[in-house]
């Protein structure tokens, strides 16, 4: 893929709406789509000692895989799709993923429908080096 739209996804219906909009834009422009799921790092000693690092990592990988699969199915195979998981703070990881690559834009949907912008959307708008499209929900 030469030119790509980045679509961060979690398990919300709002993010799937952003996938739909990105597919429409990609079809019109000939771009591909990269679906990105950001899993938080868990550094607490309690979580690591009670659950175990490997068990936590496996759980987060499995959760991310399910989220990405659901989002990829939403594209209905109409455009080329790449799926990726990153670990860390969502807004930071989204902006880092968009740097220095073929990413030409980010499609975001705030998670909470009653808010105009969620905290992650707001931070991405502040830090992004590429255009950001916010999908109203």
């Amino acid at each position: 893929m030469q030119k790509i739209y980045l679509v961060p996804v979690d398990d919300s219906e709002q993010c799937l709406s952003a996938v739909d909009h990105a597919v429409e834009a990609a079809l019109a422009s000939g771009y591909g789509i990269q679906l990105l799921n950001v899993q938080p790092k868990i550094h607490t000693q309690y979580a690591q000692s009670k659950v175990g690092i490997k068990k936590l990592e496996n759980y987060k990988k499995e959760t991310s895989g399910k989220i990405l699969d659901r989002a990829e199915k939403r594209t209905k195979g109409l455009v080329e799709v790449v799926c990726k998981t990153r670990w860390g703070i969502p807004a930071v990881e989204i902006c880092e993923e968009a740097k220095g690559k073929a990413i030409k834009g980010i499609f975001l949907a705030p998670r909470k429908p009653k808010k105009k912008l969620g905290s992650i959307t707001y931070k991405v708008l502040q830090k992004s080096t590429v255009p950001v499209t916010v999908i109203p929900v």
Side-chain angles (χ1 to χ4, degrees):
M1 281 189 284
Q2 291 288 332
K3 297 178 182 177
I4 304 167
Y5 289 127
L6 179 64
V7 187
V9 293
D10 57 22
D11 205 17
S12 69
E13 196 60 38
Q14 292 82 5
C15 284
L16 295 177
S17 175
V19 172
D20 295 341
H21 286 280
V23 168
E24 287 179 28
L27 286 171
S29 62
Y31 288 16
I33 292 176
Q34 179 178 335
L35 301 171
L36 175 68
N37 177 252
V38 180
Q39 289 290 314
K41 289 184 180 178
I42 300 176
H43 292 293
T44 65
Q45 186 66 25
Y46 178 80
Q48 292 176 357
S49 65
K50 295 294 182 187
V51 178
I53 294 172
K54 290 288 182 200
K55 200 170 191 179
L56 280 172
E57 286 178 4
N58 289 338
Y59 172 77
K60 288 193 279 183
K61 284 178 186 176
E62 182 180 310
T63 300
S64 181
K66 288 178 183 177
I67 291 168
L68 291 168
D69 285 345
R70 184 175 177 209
E72 187 173 12
K73 286 178 185 172
R74 192 74 172 235
T75 67
K76 299 175 185 162
L78 298 172
V79 294
E80 189 175 345
V81 178
V82 174
C83 296
K84 185 171 182 180
T85 301
R86 287 184 72 123
W87 309 86
I89 300 167
V92 172
E93 297 302 323
I94 291 165
C95 291
E96 283 297 315
E97 187 66 28
K99 282 184 183 175
K101 298 193 177 176
I103 305 292
K104 299 299 178 190
I106 301 172
F107 281 77
L108 286 172
R111 230 173 138 184
K112 297 181 181 174
K114 293 182 181 180
K115 286 187 169 184
K116 297 291 182 202
L117 294 176
S119 60
I120 293 171
T121 304
Y122 185 72
K123 289 175 187 171
V124 170
L125 284 169
Q126 287 180 319
K127 298 180 181 289
S128 179
T129 57
V130 298
V132 178
T133 302
V134 179
I135 308 304
V137 290

